[in-house]
Amino acid sequence: MTHHQLNKSDMSIKIISLKKNIATIIVAMTGVPVIWANQNAPTPDGDYIVLKIPTVRNPGGTDWEGNPNADEEVETQGDRELILSLIAVGERGMEILTNLDISLNLSTNLNLMCQNRVAYVGLESGATDITTIIGKSFEIRAAAEMIFRISKNYSATANTVPATVSIGVGGTVEDGNGGESFPIGIIVE
């Protein structure tokens, strides 16, 4: 039986770095500024996108674990999905989000995705008009939720417990009538 002790700093997901990488991708593909939800900063002029990561989830299954090396380290890999909520503010909101989904699906953008260590899975929910009234004016908005996947590689130190290689059982078998008996031995490997 093998147990693994994880160095928690090796397996943590760096959310701040992840946010920077996602913002880089969104700005490169849309050409509009992005801000993160709930920040205390002025909003940009013109069209912009508000980003939020409400959920990071395991897409199912357990993390893959390799075999321990000579130093008892085990390489491990686990995929995580994150939901990215986007609100595009401005007259082109629906257009921006629809075209972003199209751009994220183009194979020509794979290099940008790889450089930023994320993969686009698809839409959780497509572009929806959520125009709202502020004071006496309408603010045109569109919202969408997109699924991205990250892969986290980390190392663990294996605590191995020696396994029993084989076990043997021996004894005598009798016929039950007081007659003949003979020895028997069973080895399980």
Side-chain angles (χ1 to χ4, degrees), residues 86-100:
L86 302 95
I87 298 175
V89 180
E91 290 185 18
R92 298 182 320 119
M94 292 285 282
E95 174 187 325
I96 290 168
L97 295 181
T98 301
N99 289 340
L100 175 59

Side-chain angles (χ1 to χ4, degrees), residues 81-177:
E81 286 183 349
L82 61 99
I83 305 299
L84 180 68
S85 295
L86 302 95
I87 298 175
V89 180
E91 290 185 18
R92 298 182 320 119
M94 292 285 282
E95 174 187 325
I96 290 168
L97 295 181
T98 301
N99 289 340
L100 175 59
D101 175 53
I102 293 167
S103 293
L104 287 166
N105 280 301
L106 294 175
S107 61
T108 54
N109 288 320
L110 286 177
N111 192 36
L112 177 62
M113 303 293 280
C114 288
Q115 287 172 353
N116 287 285
R117 298 182 179 160
V118 296
Y120 181 59
V121 176
L123 290 171
E124 179 84 348
S125 63
T128 305
D129 185 343
I130 61 164
T131 297
T132 189
I133 191 164
I134 298 177
K136 294 184 180 187
S137 301
F138 285 99
E139 184 174 76
I140 300 170
R141 298 179 181 182
E145 288 190 331
M146 298 179 170
I147 305 169
F148 289 84
R149 185 167 287 161
I150 59 173
S151 181
K152 185 64 184 161
N153 299 325
Y154 53 96
S155 296
T157 303
N159 291 331
T160 56
V161 177
T164 303
V165 177
S166 65
I167 187 168
V169 178
T172 304
V173 176
E174 297 179 5
D175 71 1
N177 294 325

Side-chain angles (χ1 to χ4, degrees), residues 57-61 79-81 149:
R57 63 188 182 198
N58 184 330
D79 290 340
R80 299 295 180 265
E81 286 183 349
R149 185 167 287 161

